[in-house]
Amino acid sequence: MKLAFLSNSAPAAEEGLGELVARYGNVDPMEADVIVALGGDGFMLRTLHRTQELSAPVYGMNRGTVGFLMNEYSCDDLLDRLAAAEEEVVNPLEMRAMDQSGALHEALAINEVSLLRAGPQAAKLRITVDGRERLEELVCDGCLLATPAGSTAYNYSAHGPILPIGADVLALTPIAAFRPRRWRGALLPKTVTVRFEVREAAKRPVMADADAIQFNDIDWVEIRSVPTICHRILFDPGHGLEERVISEQFT
């Protein structure tokens, strides 16, 4: 089994990289059977984006903090663990965003696309789903659209629902909604296109974020799921995303 090891710059990750490469060797990711990512969840997301054109799945080993997308770090029995690993497949969201200068930006997000106020005043957002207006004006700190894989991240902190892995739905969740005050968001079919239009954009600036890829002074954003892009993630048996999502609801 040919392995490609990637790590972030944290000392613990670099130390693990040295140990694993010394024991198992290292190849270019384009030649690998499995790509092993050493770091935290942020680095795992960057690795998935970086390797999305490659056929090799990604196996994460936690050398960060939370490690929701990662497996426990150990230098021993790695080949046996990889042979027994269970695969999860997730589809990203595609974001298209136009800024106030007329520039069009595009990015992919595995966890969520979020719109966040970038000034002292609350944002005002108009929300349409498949071209139909669903909310004329949401006054808020922001709003996000999350995948099942990302539903336990920012979405959950914003009091959004946790979605089962494999569910064909997305979570639309407001962040500190002021008007309508009691609006808690919506569950939407995975096939929809969601559009946010920023009202009073010059007075109430808004930024858009797709897995930490940020664009400022946004005028509108469109988001849809991309079923043609499949991220393959490996987990130790009994510790896959489905089990982690269920466990998260009982902690």
Side-chain angles (χ1 to χ4, degrees):
M1 186 181 296
K2 293 181 291 184
L3 306 180
F5 294 98
L6 304 173
S7 80
N8 63 19
S9 59
E14 292 186 337
E15 179 183 351
L17 176 67
E19 293 176 348
L20 290 165
V21 168
R23 180 173 295 194
Y24 299 102
N26 197 18
V27 301
D28 187 276
M30 296 185 66
E31 302 173 2
D33 298 311
V34 178
I35 297 167
V36 180
L38 302 167
D41 286 332
F43 182 72
M44 182 64 166
L45 291 175
R46 292 195 296 274
T47 301
L48 291 170
H49 285 299
R50 172 182 170 185
T51 62
Q52 70 182 35
E53 303 296 333
L54 305 181
S55 60
V58 179
Y59 179 87
M61 300 183 81
N62 189 21
R63 301 300 270 175
T65 51
V66 178
F68 189 82
L69 296 173
M70 317 299 277
N71 299 282
E72 181 180 351
Y73 175 81
S74 174
C75 201
D76 299 325
D77 302 323
L78 178 57
L79 297 181
D80 291 338
R81 292 172 69 184
L82 292 175
E86 301 171 347
E87 182 176 294
E88 301 275 7
V89 178
V90 298
N91 305 120
L93 299 173
E94 177 188 66
M95 178 188 78
R96 299 174 66 248
M98 180 78 74
D99 67 25
Q100 294 178 51
S101 70
L104 182 64
H105 307 280
E106 297 182 347
L108 295 175
I110 296 166
N111 273 0
E112 77 279 317
V113 173
S114 55
L115 279 76
L116 304 166
R117 76 176 193 181
Q121 292 185 295
K124 289 186 176 182
L125 306 175
R126 176 176 180 262
I127 302 175
T128 63
V129 179
D130 285 341
R132 180 176 177 181
E133 183 182 276
R134 291 294 183 176
L135 203 55
E136 180 181 3
E137 185 173 271
L138 172 65
V139 184
C140 58
D141 279 355
C143 195
L144 61 85
L145 188 69
T147 67
S151 66
T152 60
Y154 194 4
N155 172 73
Y156 191 35
S157 297
H159 307 292
I162 292 180
L163 306 177
I165 295 300
D168 290 329
V169 294
L170 304 172
L172 178 64
T173 302
I175 303 168
F178 179 67
R179 290 287 188 274
R181 192 179 296 275
R182 288 185 171 84
W183 188 63
R184 299 299 300 272
L187 294 178
L188 302 175
K190 191 176 180 179
T191 55
V192 302
T193 298
V194 178
R195 180 182 175 97
F196 297 93
E197 296 177 4
V198 181
R199 296 192 159 184
E200 303 176 30
K203 179 182 178 182
R204 302 170 183 269
V206 168
M207 60 169 286
D209 183 292
D211 282 355
I213 301 172
Q214 299 176 358
F215 303 103
N216 297 316
D217 299 322
I218 294 302
D219 189 49
W220 58 259
V221 172
E222 287 186 349
I223 311 164
R224 66 180 184 91
S225 180
V226 189
T228 56
I229 299 178
C230 297
H231 294 287
R232 301 168 59 205
I233 309 175
L234 299 180
F235 293 95
D236 292 331
H239 297 278
L241 279 180
E242 182 174 351
E243 171 59 28
R244 294 177 188 215
V245 165
I246 293 173
S247 296
E248 190 73 18
Q249 299 174 81
F250 291 90
T251 55

